[in-house]
Structure formats: structure tokens, C-alpha cells
């Protein structure tokens, strides 16, 4: 039996006969009709029950002629209103036959002009009944002279035998009344085609438990399906694009679009109904097969209507299906949400993934009567290119992108036309306000006057909320502001659902919702997407380690499902057990929740590490469960991370068992390691004892050898004490370090009494001259350099370079800031601190052997092998008097203490003043 809700989701007017029963008289003749309004409850006219020979609390025979096995049910009359009153009888059946429908009841208000249909059992028609049509004139309110009735016109099809039949509004697919009487024409044959029905409001007045079903022409976050095609508006351009691609006889179409662009709705409510109407030549005979990958694409394809696809291939399965239905000419396989398959390839099921890709790629190059449409989020395009390049290459000729924008007319059609279809109205200016808000929310849209197509989920949610808060058949500005306009509708809807929960239940809701999001994989460039999770597993994840009460968990899941934030469905537990009972799974209603609901986005970010770990661990657990290879169990850092991340968490039973097995194996390994360590420790103690003995023997031998070497070094130190004191000291120290012998100690004490001295190392040739100034020493060398030393540390402060030949003389000025040098053919003044050349003293024609400053530092005297001595201005370097008279090399020049006299010494055997 299909419920009233199921009728709204998937039934069509052609299913109406399965809801209508015949009321039989005692002799088996048909006296009228009745229809199901609730489980086991049928309604008909009181005058029909009277015609069947029964009455209040009586028995009546019922049969459903269009339903197999629904013959001769005996019902009991529960509620009764006489013919002179409402003319209604409710009959309780012993059961509701399988295959029948419970019809949803709407309201007869505001239905004027709507076309209606019914199904009854006129005597002149076929024995199984026939359809009748009419038009609603208006609802006639109750008055002192008559009961409330619904007047129908153009009702010539509705004759005797339709009494008690339903009046189905073709606009809303809801029952708005029960056919009760027809009028007889007057003497001029006027008044034909007029009939009356009892409004559903009267039926609910008798049985208040009967729910009023009202059709919402908007879908919130759910996709439009073929059953909702009459409300799928504003996408004509996109539909034509897909139809044009199919008209080109391309076997493979890849439809790409961003999340929230309405791809699923475009195919189900736009393309498939257009094909069924024959928009393409012969397309009315195409057989659509609609599926999605979920956990196993080939299994889902088989379930959708192509059995044998896994073992025989897609084309063979399609050919077999067409052979069984000769009136069908082509199979159109639509694989929605194809990105789910790419996520599975990232999970490590590469072989299965490649097999499916090969199957689909083969179709593209075939001449079979099979066409395939792949519907995929465009942000998975790089992953498709990387994982299935051959498929992308085959699909490229048929690659389509959902138009990325919606114009003002598109938006207006989406907003207004569905409401008009069910008799609703917008307050003046509201559609324009909604469109303006959509365009102003996007800076680019303000300029282009084109809204991004991804606004559709928010728009549909807004319109759905406006419908829920409608007033007197109008969608209002007040409700629009109350729900937060377009931008706040989704958030407001979701937050409203959370407010129905207690604080503890909101924590459970966080666990539920984040468990239904597969975390982003940045390495593979996979964004966060919805995930299907078995309900039993979801309950475990939601409860947490604190084991929240089952009632709370179920209440949270029920609230989220009722609010259409999550949805539940059935999927096969195991492809290897196709006869196993279906396993209930849950998932988010739409990816737009992940993108546009700020709270969920924050929760997903907070829980990212845990769910990323859970995904990795699940892959490893599946390998371990399949092969039971201990190497697949967690250990070391991986197990430590798992213990940390799973602490305080609820886990699915298979994951918890996997962690337990990993811990047990780790503990077993640790125990074996401890036993091994104990054995090794014992062996090590024995080895150490043996080694200690050997070590003592070896150490004694080494000590003797070191003592002999120490004595030898002490003797050598003693022999060098007067020749090379520095080397003697070093040998004494090394002797004592080698071994503390008496000889080494004596040698060390002897060298300790030597005067302190330091060697200044750095020149590479002979040092010819030195000069002190305080703690600074300058040295000139035949290597052509002058070094300035710190006498306290023995380190070079500055190095004077650029001199030619040997440096024979160095001298500090009295203030220590300037150094004078004499070398082959030149004399120079230098900056003592920086080591930079200051002034050349040019004039000598041969080697300069002496340079000296006057006591006041203003004058420099030099002596040269050219037989002269010269005086120079120490500041400017300008030459002063030239001292001549010597006949050979002048080796030295020196100032008197008062600086007034210069003395020179020469190789000619004389000294001069």
C-alpha cells in the first residue's frame, strides 16, 4: 500500500484507478464507488451504502477491480451522515490490499477553474471503470437551504456510477471532494454537464484525523524529479543544451556544473520529461535508467534496471532490457553525482574504479542502443583528468557545462510560475524584491544583471519557507523579512531545527552532521562532499564515548530528517549478497549545507582531523577485515594517534574492534619484547662480567705502555729546555697527560719555572723590525707585510699589505694612531687602527732601512740605501729637509729627546748630527 505522502512524491493521475473501489450490492452488482483516505479506511456516499442494502454500523462488500488480489473485502460502516445531511459514509476495511493507494486530501478552497478528474463505474462503460473529467466552477458554502457543495461544470463524463468517487485536482494532485450527484437537464436540455461533490472540508469535519495535504511547488534543498516537472521553471536554455547534445547521437555526455547549480533537477525534471514528450525524434520510446554511484556503481546500476551489468557489461545488460520491452528503442543511463565514484578511487578501490571507467568508456565508442549521461560537480574535473584520462577524452565531444548564470526572466519564472501553478500569489513587488536581493548579493551580478546559478539552493529554500508561512494564499513581504531574505533562509531554517534540541542533543547533532561530511583531501584536490553513512554506524558516532541515550540520538536524527536537513534511504549492504535486506543509510540533503551554513562549516573544520583519521582508518580496517593480515593493524605512532583521536569519541563497531585488535597485537608484541629484553639483559650481564675481566687486563697493559711513553717524553723535554723552551714545555705537558709518572711531574715543574713567552705566528718570512705602543706591537717582515698584534692575546688586529719588497722598519707615532714603514724603494704612513694606507713618503731612490717619529709626532725621519736621510711632515707626507753627506748606505736615523736634532748612522763608517 502506498501512503498519501508517497502519492505526492511519485504517483501520477494515471495511478488513480488503484485507489478507487467498487461498492457492491448483495447480488454483486456495482452500486457506486469509494476511495481510500487513510489506511484501512474508505469513504463513499451514504446513498451508495443504502443502494448496497446496508446502513449505519452495517456491512458492505468492497472490491478494487484494478488491483490484483483485492476482491470481495467486507467492510464495516463506522461513520454515517444521512443523504439529507452530508451524504457521507466511512467504511473500515479489514486490511488495505497491497497495490492500492491512499489519496491525499487537499482543500476545495480557491480551486475555481481547475481541471479535475475522477474514476468511476458507469453502467455504460467498461466493466473495470473509466475516467471522467470536469472543471471546478466554485465552492458553494452551506446555507439554511442546502449543505456545502463543490460545483463542477463540463462534467458530462461524470454519470451514474461515479457516486462516491474522488475528485482529483490536476493542478495539485490532491483530492478536493467526493462526487455525490448530477443534475438533470431542464425541458430545453439546459443544465447538462453540471455535477456536485462533497468538499474535503466536510469529510474532515466528520473524521478530524484526516490530514489536509497541500502541495508545495518548491523543493527546498531536494532535487526536482519527473513528478515535479510542472514546477521546474527557468531552465529552458539548459534543457535545450542537453537535448541538442543527445540529438547529435553522442553515446556519452558529461554534464558539469558547480554544486548547487541544479544538475540533478535539470536532468530529472527537465531533460527526462522532455524526452518522454518526444521532444527528440523517437525519444518517447527511450527507457531512462537513473542511478548514482553510492558505494558500488555497478550494483546500483543493476538495482536501477539493468541486471547483469556487473558480469555481462553495460551494453549487454541494456540489450537484454530492450529485448524484454519491444516498445523501447534505446536505454538512457543517467549516472548522477558521478563524483562519488572519484572519491571511491581515492579510497584505494582502484581496480573496481578502473573497471567501471572502462565500461563507460567502451559505450562512447560503440554503436549500441545505450546512451550515458554523467552528471558531475565541476570542481572534480581535475580529479577526473588525473584518475580517468581515457574517460575524459571519450567524453570531451559530449562535454557540457550547466549555464553559469540566470537572467532576470529565468529568476522570475523560477519564483512566480510554480506558485501560479498551484493557485498561489505573491504580494505585489515581492518577486522583484527577491530578484534584486539575489543580484545585489553578488558584485558581478549587479553589473551583468546575471545571478550565479549556485544561488538556486538558497532561492528554493527561501521560496519553500515563504510557502510554509503563506497567508490566505499569498506569499508575503512580512514572511520574507522574517526568514532573513534569500541570504539568511537556509541558515535560519537549519538554526531553527537546532533550537528544537536541548544543549546535549545539539552536541549529538554536531556529531551526526559532521559524520555525514567526507573531509576535504587537499592532496588529491577533492573538496568536502556529502557522505552516506549507515544509520547504525551514525548512531554510534553520534552517541560519543559518553554513550548518549538512544532515545536522544534517535530524536536528533528524527528532527534533522523531519526538517529535511538530512535524508534517509535504503541501499544494499553487500554487492556479493544482493538478496540481503537493504541497509538504511543517511546523508545530508544537499552539498549547499556544507558551503552555505556557517555553523556546519565551522563544525566540519573543528572535526576535520578526527574524520580524516576515521577515513584513513576505515580503509585500513577494510583491508584487514578482508585478509586478516596482522601487518594491516595499527602500530607505533599510527596507533598512538588513533588512541588520542578516538578518546572520548563514539566509534562504529568495526572500527572499535579494529582498534582493539591493534592494541592487543601491540600489547602482545610488547610482552614478547619484554621477555626478549629480560633474556638479553641476562646475557648482557654475563658478557659485561667477562668483559670487565678482559678490560682490567687490557687496561693494565695500556697503563704500562703509557707510563713508558710518558717517561720518554719527559726525558726529551729535559734535553730541549735550554734549546727550545717552548717545545720543552709542550713535551712536558704531553708527558703528564699520557701518564702521571714521577718523571713527567718533575719535567712539568721544571718547565713551569721558565719565564713566560709567546710566539706571534703569521709572517711567512723573516721578521726585520718591531715597534711597541702600549699593548700593541707592529712587526715588519720580508714577506712584504706589516702585522699589528694585541700583545695580551697574541692575535693579529690588523694586517698592512701592498708594500713592495722587504719591510725593514716600522714605528708608531707617539699617539699610536699612525704607523710609519720603510721597505724596498718606499716609505708609507698607515692608519694603525684600520690598516689602511694613508700617505706615501716619496723621494728615496733605494731601500729604506729606518723610519722614526719625532717626540711630538709631527715629523718622520727615514734613512735609505741611497746615502741620504729625509724628514717628512707626518700629517701631509710632504718632504722636509734632505740630510746628505754620507757616502754609503744610511742604516739608521733617530731624533733627540727635544726633537731638534737628528742623528744618522751609515755604512761609510760615520755618524752625523
Amino acid at each position: 500500500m502506498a501512503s498519501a505522502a508517497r502519492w505526492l512524491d511519485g504517483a501520477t493521475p494515471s495511478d488513480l484507478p488503484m485507489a478507487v473501489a467498487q461498492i457492491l450490492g448483495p447480488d454483486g452488482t456495482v452500486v457506486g464507488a469509494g476511495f481510500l483516505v487513510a489506511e484501512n479506511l474508505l469513504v463513499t456516499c451514504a446513498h451508495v451504502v443504502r443502494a448496497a442494502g446496508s446502513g449505519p454500523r452495517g456491512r458492505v462488500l468492497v472490491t478494487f477491480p484494478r488491483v490484483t488480489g483485492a476482491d470481495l473485502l467486507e467492510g464495516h460502516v463506522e461513520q454515517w451522515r444521512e443523504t439529507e445531511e452530508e451524504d457521507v459514509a466511512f467504511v473500515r476495511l479489514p486490511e488495505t490490499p497491497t497495490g492500492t493507494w491512499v489519496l491525499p486530501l487537499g482543500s476545495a478552497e480557491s480551486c475555481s477553474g481547475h481541471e479535475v478528474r475522477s474514476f468511476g463505474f458507469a453502467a455504460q462503460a467498461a466493466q473495470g471503470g473509466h475516467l471522467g473529467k470536469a472543471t471546478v466552477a466554485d465552492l458553494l458554502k452551506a446555507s439554511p437551504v442546502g449543505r456545502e457543495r463543490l460545483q463542477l461544470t463540463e462534467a458530462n463524463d461524470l454519470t451514474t456510477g461515479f457516486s462516491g468517487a474522488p475528485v482529483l485536482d490536476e493542478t495539485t494532485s490532491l483530492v478536493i471532494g467526493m462526487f455525490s450527484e448530477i443534475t438533470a437537464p431542464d425541458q430545453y436540455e439546459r443544465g447538462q454537464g453540471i455535477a456536485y461533490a462533497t468538499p474535503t472540508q466536510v469529510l474532515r469535519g466528520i473524521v478530524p484525523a484526516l490530514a489536509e495535504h497541500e502541495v508545495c511547488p518548491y523543493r527546498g534543498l531536494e532535487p526536482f524529479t519527473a513528478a515535479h516537472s510542472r514546477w521546474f521553471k527557468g531552465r529552458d536554455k539548459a534543457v535545450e543544451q542537453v537535448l541538442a547534445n543527445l540529438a547529435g547521437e553522442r553515446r556519452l555526455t558529461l554534464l558539469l556544473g558547480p554544486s548547487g547549480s541544479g544538475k540533478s533537477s535539470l536532468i530529472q525534471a527537465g531533460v527526462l520529461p522532455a524526452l518522454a514528450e518526444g521532444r527528440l525524434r523517437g525519444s518517447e520510446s527511450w527507457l531512462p535508467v537513473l542511478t548514482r554511484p553510492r558505494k558500488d556503481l555497478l550494483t546500483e546500476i543493476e538495482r536501477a534496471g539493468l541486471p547483469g551489468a556487473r558480469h555481462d557489461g553495460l551494453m549487454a545488460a541494456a540489450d537484454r532490457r530492450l529485448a524484454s520491452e519491444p516498445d523501447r528503442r534505446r536505454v538512457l543511463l543517467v549516472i548522477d553525482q558521478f563524483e562519488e565514484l572519484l572519491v571511491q578511487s581515492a579510497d584505494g578501490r582502484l581496480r573496481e574504479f578502473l573497471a567501471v571507467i572502462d565500461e563507460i568508456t567502451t559505450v562512447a565508442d560503440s554503436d549500441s542502443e545505450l546512451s550515458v549521461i554523467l552528471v558531475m560537480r565541476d570542481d572534480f574535473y581535475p580529479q577526473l583528468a588525473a584518475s580517468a584520462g581515457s574517460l575524459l577524452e571519450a567524453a570531451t565531444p559530449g562535454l557540457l557545462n550547466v549555464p553559469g548564470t540566470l537572467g532576470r526572466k529565468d529568476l522570475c519564472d523560477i519564483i512566480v510560475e510554480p506558485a501560479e501553478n498551484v493557485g498561489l500569489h505573491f504580494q505585489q513587488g515581492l518577486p522583484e524584491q527577491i530578484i534584486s536581493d539575489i543580484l545585489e548579493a553578488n558584485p558581478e551580478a549587479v553589473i551583468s544583471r546575471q545571478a550565479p546559478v549556485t544561488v538556486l539552493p538558497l532561492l528554493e529554500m527561501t521560496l519553500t519557507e515563504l510557502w510554509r508561512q503563506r497567508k490566505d494564499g499569498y506569499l508575503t513581504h512580512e514572511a520574507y523579512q522574517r526568514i532573513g531574505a534569500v541570504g539568511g533562509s537556509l541558515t535560519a531554517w537549519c538554526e531553527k531545527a537546532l533550537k528544537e534540541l536541548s544543549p546535549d542533543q545539539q552536541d549529538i547533532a554536531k556529531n551526526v552532521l559532521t559524520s555525514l561530511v567526507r573531509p576535504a583531501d587537499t592532496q588529491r584536490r577533492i573538496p568536502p562532499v556529502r557522505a552516506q553513512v549507515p544509520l547504525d554506524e551514525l548512531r554510534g558516532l553520534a552517541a560519543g564515548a559518553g554513550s548518549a541515550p538512544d532515545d536522544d540520538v534517535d530524536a536528533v536524527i528524527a528532527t534533522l530528517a523531519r526538517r529535511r536537513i538530512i535524508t534517509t534511504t535504503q541501499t544494499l549492504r553487500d554487492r556479493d549478497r544482493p538478496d540481503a535486506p537493504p541497509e538504511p543509510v543517511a546523508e545530508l540533503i544537499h552539498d549547499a549545507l556544507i558551503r552555505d551554513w556557517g555553523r556546519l562549516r565551522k563544525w566540519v573544520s573543528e572535526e576535520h582531523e578526527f574524520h580524516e583519521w576515521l577515513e584513513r582508518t576505515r580503509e585500513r580496517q577494510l583491508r584487514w577485515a578482508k585478509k586478516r593480515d596482522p601487518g594491516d593493524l595499527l602500530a607505533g605512532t599510527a596507533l598512538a594517534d588513533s588512541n588520542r583521536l578516538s578518546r572520548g569519541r563514539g566509534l562504529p563497531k568495526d572500527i572499535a574492534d579494529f582498534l582493539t585488535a591493534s592494541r592487543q597485537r601491540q600489547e602482545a608484541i610488547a610482552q614478547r619484547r619484554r621477555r626478549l629484553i629480560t633474556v638479553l639483559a641476562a646475557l648482557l650481564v654475563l658478557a659485561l662480567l667477562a668483559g670487565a675481566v678482559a678490560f682490567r687486563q687490557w687496561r693494565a697493559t695500556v697503563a704500562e705502555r703509557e707510563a713508558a711513553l710518558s717517561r720518554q717524553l719527559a726525558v726529551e723535554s729535559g734535553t730541549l729546555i735550554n734549546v727550545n723552551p717552548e717545545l720543552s714545555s709542550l713535551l712536558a705537558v704531553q708527558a703528564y697527560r699520557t701518564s702521571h709518572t714521577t718523571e713527567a711531574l718533575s719535567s712539568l715543574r721544571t718547565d713551569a719555572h721558565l719565564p713566560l713567552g709567546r710566539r706571534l705566528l703569521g709572517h711567512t718570512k723573516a721578521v726585520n723590525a718591531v715597534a711597541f705602543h702600549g699593548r700593541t706591537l707592529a712587526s715588519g717582515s720580508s714577506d712584504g707585510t706589516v702585522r699589528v698584534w694585541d700583545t695580551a692575546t697574541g692575535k693579529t688586529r690588523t694586517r698592512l699589505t701592498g708594500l713592495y719588497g722587504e719591510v725593514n722598519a716600522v714605528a708608531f707615532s707617539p699617539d699610536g694612531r699612525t704607523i710609519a714603514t720603510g721597505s724596498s724603494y718606499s716609505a708609507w704612513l698607515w692608519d694603525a687602527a684600520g690598516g689602511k694606507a694613508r700617505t706615501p713618503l716619496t723621494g728615496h731612490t733605494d731601500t729604506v732601512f729606518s723610519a722614526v717619529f719625532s717626540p711630538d709626532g709631527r715629523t718622520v725621519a727615514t734613512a735609505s740605501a741611497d746615502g741620504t736621510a729625509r724628514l717628512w711632515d707626518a700629517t701631509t707626507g710632504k718632504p722636509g729637509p734632505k740630510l746628505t753627506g754620507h757616502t754609503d748606505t744610511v742604516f739608521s736615523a733617530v731624533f733627540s729627546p727635544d726633537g731638534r736634532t737628528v742623528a744618522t748612522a751609515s755604512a761609510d763608517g760615520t755618524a752625523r748630527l
Side-chain angles (χ1 to χ4, degrees):
M1 189 273 292
S3 68
R6 288 286 294 159
W7 172 277
L8 292 175
D9 280 342
T12 64
S14 61
D15 295 315
L16 181 61
M18 272 72 82
V20 182
Q22 293 175 334
I23 309 299
L24 305 178
D27 58 355
T29 59
V30 179
V31 297
F35 60 95
L36 290 169
V37 291
E39 189 170 355
N40 301 347
L41 187 63
L42 178 143
V43 68
T44 186
C45 295
H47 76 264
V48 172
V49 175
R50 288 291 190 195
S54 186
R57 302 189 181 280
R59 301 283 178 175
V60 65
L61 291 177
V62 175
T63 183
F64 291 85
R66 293 302 182 102
V67 178
T68 303
D71 301 331
L72 296 179
L73 300 171
E74 186 178 60
H76 171 71
V77 180
E78 279 191 349
Q79 299 287 343
W80 181 268
R81 295 292 186 273
E82 287 290 353
T83 304
E84 296 77 13
E85 299 172 356
E86 284 91 357
D87 191 17
V88 175
F90 283 94
V91 179
R92 178 68 63 183
L93 302 179
E95 63 179 351
T96 302
T98 302
T100 59
W101 290 91
V102 171
L103 295 178
L105 303 184
S107 172
E109 297 280 356
S110 303
C111 292
S112 179
H114 289 195
E115 292 186 355
V116 296
R117 71 166 57 196
S118 187
F119 185 81
F121 307 99
Q124 72 272 23
Q127 185 176 2
H130 75 163
L131 293 167
K133 290 190 174 184
T135 302
V136 177
D138 210 342
L139 180 65
L140 304 177
K141 297 295 185 179
S143 68
V145 295
R147 65 179 184 268
E148 187 174 19
R149 294 188 296 181
L150 182 66
Q151 182 179 333
L152 307 176
T153 62
E154 301 176 8
N156 194 52
D157 292 340
L158 306 179
T159 63
T160 303
F162 273 81
S163 292
V167 178
L168 184 74
D169 187 339
E170 292 195 328
T171 299
T172 64
S173 294
L174 300 175
V175 173
I176 60 174
M178 177 181 68
F179 184 77
S180 57
E181 60 182 300
I182 58 175
T183 61
D186 63 13
Q187 58 181 335
Y188 303 107
E189 299 297 323
R190 292 177 299 189
Q192 295 187 54
I194 297 177
Y196 296 98
T198 301
T200 50
Q201 293 93 309
V202 173
L203 303 182
R204 277 193 292 271
I206 299 171
V207 180
L210 294 178
E212 177 179 348
H213 290 84
E214 295 176 303
V215 174
C216 175
Y218 306 110
R219 297 292 293 160
L221 295 179
E222 297 186 75
F224 285 83
T225 67
H228 314 107
S229 60
R230 64 184 182 274
W231 303 319
F232 183 70
K233 303 297 180 181
R235 309 298 301 282
D236 296 342
K237 179 180 177 182
V239 171
E240 290 299 330
Q241 191 179 32
V242 178
L243 291 177
N245 209 52
L246 293 173
E249 298 187 355
R250 293 192 176 93
R251 294 292 185 269
L252 181 59
T253 297
L254 176 59
L255 180 64
L256 299 176
S259 173
S261 60
K263 302 181 294 298
S264 301
S265 299
L266 174 65
I267 295 296
Q268 295 185 52
V271 174
L272 296 185
L275 294 174
E277 293 171 0
R279 294 272 291 277
L280 299 182
R281 188 173 63 181
S283 64
E284 67 275 8
S285 64
W286 290 13
L287 174 65
V289 176
L290 180 64
T291 188
R292 56 183 278 196
R294 291 192 170 93
K295 294 184 178 180
D296 186 341
L297 175 57
L298 290 177
T299 297
E300 295 297 332
I301 290 175
E302 291 184 340
R303 292 180 64 198
L306 293 180
R310 176 178 297 281
H311 300 293
D312 303 330
L314 292 177
M315 289 182 289
D319 291 343
R320 188 162 47 247
R321 178 68 187 272
L322 291 175
S324 67
E325 299 185 34
D327 57 331
R328 297 290 189 174
R329 301 299 178 86
R330 174 174 293 279
V331 173
L332 177 62
L333 174 61
V334 178
I335 304 177
D336 197 7
Q337 299 181 45
F338 188 69
E339 64 270 8
E340 289 181 342
L341 186 67
L342 301 180
V343 173
Q344 292 173 18
S345 76
D347 285 345
R349 290 181 280 185
L350 184 59
R351 183 177 300 176
E352 297 177 17
F353 169 75
L354 293 177
V356 173
I357 293 301
D358 289 343
E359 276 288 318
I360 299 174
T361 305
T362 302
V363 172
D365 300 325
S366 72
D367 295 325
S368 69
E369 298 302 322
L370 171 65
S371 297
V372 178
I373 298 178
L374 307 179
V375 184
M376 188 182 82
R377 281 172 46 174
D378 57 6
D379 51 356
F380 278 81
Y381 184 90
Q383 181 68 10
L384 178 64
S387 304
S390 60
L391 174 61
L392 181 58
E393 182 179 355
T396 297
L399 190 150
L400 295 175
N401 285 285
V402 173
T405 58
L406 298 167
R408 294 187 70 94
K409 184 180 184 307
D410 298 328
L411 292 170
C412 186
D413 292 346
I414 291 170
I415 294 168
V416 176
E417 290 191 15
E420 292 179 343
N421 186 268
V422 295
L424 294 174
H425 308 280
F426 282 85
Q427 284 185 340
Q428 187 173 2
L430 181 54
E432 291 77 8
Q433 180 65 53
I434 295 173
I435 293 172
S436 176
D437 289 347
I438 290 172
L439 295 177
E440 289 178 3
N442 190 308
E444 295 180 359
V446 174
I447 300 173
S448 66
R449 314 309 294 170
Q450 299 278 320
V453 71
T454 51
V455 76
L456 283 173
L458 294 178
L459 177 58
E460 281 295 318
M461 177 59 75
T462 301
L463 296 171
T464 302
E465 279 298 285
L466 286 175
W467 178 85
R468 288 192 176 98
Q469 300 186 35
R470 68 195 181 281
K471 185 175 182 181
D472 297 330
Y474 278 86
L475 280 64
T476 67
H477 284 280
E478 179 184 356
Y480 182 64
Q481 297 303 321
R482 189 163 51 243
I483 65 177
V486 174
S489 58
L490 184 144
T491 297
W493 173 250
C494 295
E495 293 295 332
K496 184 177 179 181
L498 291 183
K499 288 179 181 178
E500 296 179 10
L501 306 174
S502 68
D504 289 341
Q505 289 177 331
Q506 289 185 17
D507 291 337
I508 296 173
K510 176 182 179 180
N511 293 338
V512 169
L513 295 171
T514 55
S515 297
L516 296 177
V517 178
R518 184 186 293 270
D521 187 338
T522 54
Q523 292 184 344
R524 298 186 179 97
R525 293 182 290 182
I526 297 177
V529 294
R530 291 179 293 166
Q532 285 191 336
V533 179
L535 273 178
D536 288 343
E537 180 177 319
L538 185 62
R539 288 189 180 98
L541 289 166
S547 298
D550 290 342
D551 290 347
D552 276 359
V553 173
D554 289 340
V556 169
I557 293 176
T559 298
L560 296 176
R562 176 168 51 82
R563 284 291 187 172
R564 308 305 291 160
I565 294 174
I566 69 173
T567 183
T568 58
T569 186
Q570 303 283 339
T571 187
L572 284 180
R573 181 185 299 275
D574 191 341
R575 77 177 186 208
D576 298 324
R577 297 189 299 135
D579 297 329
E583 179 183 40
V585 297
E587 68 176 337
L588 294 176
I589 192 70
H590 200 282
D591 284 320
L593 288 169
I594 306 173
R595 184 187 67 226
D596 296 322
W597 185 15
R599 184 191 292 263
L600 179 56
R601 204 163 56 242
K602 177 184 176 185
W603 281 350
V604 169
S605 177
E606 292 173 352
E607 300 295 307
H608 180 272
E609 185 181 15
F610 169 73
H611 287 289
E612 190 178 53
W613 164 83
L614 188 60
E615 286 292 319
R616 292 195 309 269
T617 304
R618 192 184 304 280
E619 293 176 26
R620 199 156 173 173
Q621 183 272 333
L622 289 173
R623 291 199 304 269
W624 175 75
K626 190 174 183 179
K627 299 180 180 179
R628 292 288 167 170
D629 182 357
D632 288 326
L633 292 171
L634 300 173
T637 303
L639 182 57
D641 288 343
S642 297
N643 290 333
R644 174 179 60 85
L645 291 169
S646 62
R647 190 177 298 115
R649 298 277 189 172
L651 295 175
K653 185 178 183 304
D654 53 353
I655 299 296
D657 292 344
F658 177 66
L659 290 182
T660 299
S662 297
R663 294 185 188 109
Q664 291 173 347
R665 178 172 180 266
Q666 186 84 342
E667 181 60 27
I669 292 173
Q671 289 179 356
R672 288 197 299 270
R673 185 181 292 117
R674 285 193 291 270
R675 288 195 294 268
L676 179 61
I677 289 173
T678 301
V679 173
L680 292 177
L683 293 175
L684 180 60
V685 169
L686 295 175
L688 288 174
L689 291 174
V693 174
F695 178 76
R696 290 185 64 183
Q697 294 175 347
W698 170 81
R699 192 72 188 92
T701 302
V702 170
E704 292 178 1
R705 187 167 59 249
E706 290 176 344
L709 178 59
S710 175
R711 295 188 187 98
Q712 181 181 351
L713 291 173
V715 171
E716 292 178 358
S717 173
T719 60
L720 293 173
I721 192 168
N722 296 320
V723 179
N724 191 339
E726 188 176 67
L727 180 57
S728 175
S729 298
L730 292 174
L731 290 174
V733 170
Q734 186 60 36
Y736 189 77
R737 286 177 175 174
T738 303
S739 180
H740 298 345
T741 60
T742 304
E743 292 82 356
L745 181 59
S746 175
S747 176
L748 193 61
R749 287 173 175 169
T750 300
D751 282 287
H753 287 87
L754 293 174
L756 294 176
R758 175 176 287 119
R759 299 179 68 191
L760 304 179
L761 303 176
H763 288 295
T764 58
K765 291 184 178 180
V767 178
N768 301 321
V770 291
F772 263 107
H773 183 273
R775 296 176 59 185
T776 302
L777 175 70
S779 60
S781 170
S782 295
D783 61 9
T785 67
V786 174
R787 288 178 177 267
V788 180
W789 308 84
D790 185 332
T791 57
T793 63
K795 293 183 179 180
T796 300
R797 286 182 178 175
T798 308
R799 185 165 173 261
L800 313 183
T801 59
L803 299 167
Y804 295 100
E806 299 176 349
V807 179
N808 301 309
V810 292
F812 277 100
S813 63
D815 60 6
R817 296 180 180 179
T818 305
I819 297 176
T821 63
S823 60
S824 302
Y825 307 107
S826 67
W828 283 80
L829 297 178
W830 303 78
D831 184 335
K836 294 183 179 180
R838 182 180 294 168
T839 308
L841 306 179
T842 306
H844 288 295
T845 59
D846 207 337
T847 301
V848 177
F849 284 106
S850 177
V852 62
F853 281 92
S854 63
D856 59 7
R858 296 179 179 179
T859 306
V860 176
T862 58
S864 170
D866 63 4
T868 67
R870 286 179 175 269
L871 299 179
W872 312 83
D873 187 308
T875 301
T876 63
K878 292 182 178 181
K882 180 179 181 182
L883 308 181
T884 60
H886 290 293
T887 60
D888 206 340
T889 299
V890 180
F891 287 109
S892 178
V894 62
F895 282 97
S896 63
D898 58 6
R900 296 180 179 180
T901 305
V902 176
T904 59
S906 172
D908 64 4
T910 66
R912 286 178 176 268
L913 296 176

